[in-house]
């Protein structure tokens, strides 16, 4: 007789420790990103929420209940939506980072053009992708 497949509430514990580790590492990077320019916060918090949903229900619930992160996570999980305020914040931050990168690299000289173009192109792609995400229904804040 075949064993029943696990329900969403009860996942197999096979890689639970890896999800737990990824969740806490991502949360740590996300918190650092709030203070270090160039290191994103939202992306790491979303990764932490995803990993926590598979490895640490306690952390997942804490993230969902968080005053700042909770609405963003719920909007993403329920609607794959990003609030306009978060889009603007991410876009301005990436523009600032691209400007600093450009000034430092051009000011110090001796760098290949791709070393400047590649990170700026990546940021532009992320911004483009971000602005193609829908906004939460009903003007939900995040």
């Amino acid at each position: 007789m075949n064993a029943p497949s696990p329900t969403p509430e009860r996942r197999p514990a096979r890689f639970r420790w890896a999800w737990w580790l990824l969740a806490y590492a991502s949360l740590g990077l996300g918190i650092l990103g709030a203070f270090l320019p160039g290191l994103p916060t939202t992306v790491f918090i979303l990764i932490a929420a995803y990993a926590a949903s598979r490895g640490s229900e306690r952390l997942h619930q804490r993230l969902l209940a968080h005053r700042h992160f909770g609405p963003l996570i719920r909007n993403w999980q329920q609607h794959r939506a990003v609030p306009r305020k978060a889009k603007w914040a991410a876009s301005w931050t990436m523009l600032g980072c691209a400007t600093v990168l450009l000034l430092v690299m051009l000011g110090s000289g001796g760098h290949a053009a791709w070393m400047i173009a590649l990170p700026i192109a990546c940021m532009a792609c992320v911004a483009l992708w971000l602005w193609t995400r829908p906004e939460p229904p009903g003007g939900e804040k995040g």
Side-chain angles (χ1 to χ4, degrees):
M1 180 179 262
N2 291 338
S5 63
T7 62
E9 298 84 35
R10 183 145 171 84
R11 296 185 184 274
R14 191 164 130 193
F15 292 107
R16 189 169 174 217
W17 64 271
W19 288 115
W20 181 91
L21 184 62
L22 178 62
Y24 279 97
S26 297
L27 180 60
L29 288 170
I31 291 169
L32 280 176
F35 302 103
L36 296 176
L39 187 64
T41 299
T42 303
V43 172
F44 285 117
I45 298 303
L46 290 174
I47 292 169
Y50 178 80
S53 73
R54 283 149 178 73
S56 174
E57 187 57 33
R58 189 175 97 209
L59 175 60
H60 188 241
Q61 291 305 316
R62 287 183 67 191
L63 287 171
L64 288 174
H66 192 273
R67 185 174 85 195
H68 297 293
F69 302 140
L72 287 169
I73 294 167
R74 284 189 300 276
N75 283 333
W76 183 254
Q77 288 179 341
Q78 293 169 4
H79 309 290
R80 293 293 187 252
V82 179
R84 186 173 301 214
K85 183 179 175 183
K87 292 176 185 181
W88 278 114
S91 297
W92 282 112
T93 301
M94 286 186 280
L95 180 61
C97 290
T99 303
V100 169
L101 172 73
L102 193 60
L103 292 173
V104 168
M105 296 294 266
L106 292 177
S108 62
H111 301 288
W114 70 266
M115 297 172 88
I116 298 169
L118 183 64
I120 292 175
C122 288
M123 286 186 258
C125 288
V126 169
L128 180 64
W129 175 85
L130 185 62
W131 281 96
T132 62
R133 300 303 95 198
E135 293 182 17
E140 294 177 37
K141 304 244 182 202

